Amino acid sequence: MCWWAFTGLTHILIKGPFVSTPDFFAKGNPNYFDEVWKEYSKGDSRYIARDTATVTVEGITAVLEGPASLLAVYLLPSGSEYNHILQFAVCLGQLYGCLVYFIMAYLDGFIFWASSFYFWAYFIGANNSWVVIPTLIATRSWEKICAAIHQSEKVKTK
């Protein structure tokens, strides 16, 4: 539940303002989120340049994956039958977003950071959890879904 709350709030509260504030880097009186994105842009200048693909990926993340992650917080303790399919779908979305994000950087020649520190701390470090944790959750949910289907088929054949 902690991961789902963290990722949902991060997507909505941090990535949402980035997408909806195209001039965050030029504001005379920046807010906290503007400063977060200015700092993160040291590790990936596509954010300050407002790269359209990056803005699009973050927009989808903020609008779809953020609320879906918070829905997972609700569904986990309720024991809903939709729990694992939702988790699996959101994890696939997060993994797809990470793949697009990293592949775009690779295809453009990895030219987006101010120094190797920012590359490792921000570009790799800050994004690492959105690869590792969704992979683990997706694997667990896939196994639970497959086990439920297998159990259902056993009951039908009896």
Side-chain angles (χ1 to χ4, degrees), residues 73-91:
V73 171
Y74 170 76
L75 291 179
L76 271 166
S78 73
S80 170
E81 64 271 15
Y82 302 109
N83 181 20
H84 286 292
I85 193 67
L86 174 70
Q87 289 184 55
F88 187 74
V90 174
C91 287

Side-chain angles (χ1 to χ4, degrees), residues 26-134:
K27 287 171 129 181
N29 190 15
N31 63 36
Y32 173 77
F33 299 112
D34 299 332
E35 294 299 328
V36 166
W37 287 111
K38 283 182 195 176
E39 183 64 23
Y40 186 78
S41 292
K42 293 176 184 176
D44 190 341
S45 64
R46 295 176 294 178
Y47 284 83
I48 208 155
R50 302 292 294 172
D51 174 74
T52 55
T54 303
V55 173
T56 301
V57 168
E58 295 297 8
I60 291 168
T61 299
V63 172
L64 296 178
E65 293 175 15
S69 296
L70 295 181
L71 180 58
V73 171
Y74 170 76
L75 291 179
L76 271 166
S78 73
S80 170
E81 64 271 15
Y82 302 109
N83 181 20
H84 286 292
I85 193 67
L86 174 70
Q87 289 184 55
F88 187 74
V90 174
C91 287
L92 287 182
Q94 291 177 332
L95 291 169
Y96 177 78
C98 287
L99 276 172
V100 169
Y101 178 72
F102 288 121
I103 290 170
M104 286 185 322
Y106 169 75
L107 293 174
D108 287 337
F110 286 117
I111 56 169
F112 304 110
W113 33 86
S115 72
S116 61
F117 169 77
Y118 292 113
F119 169 77
W120 289 105
Y122 295 170
F123 187 78
I124 300 297
N127 292 295
N128 187 37
S129 60
W130 275 277
V131 173
V132 174
I133 296 172

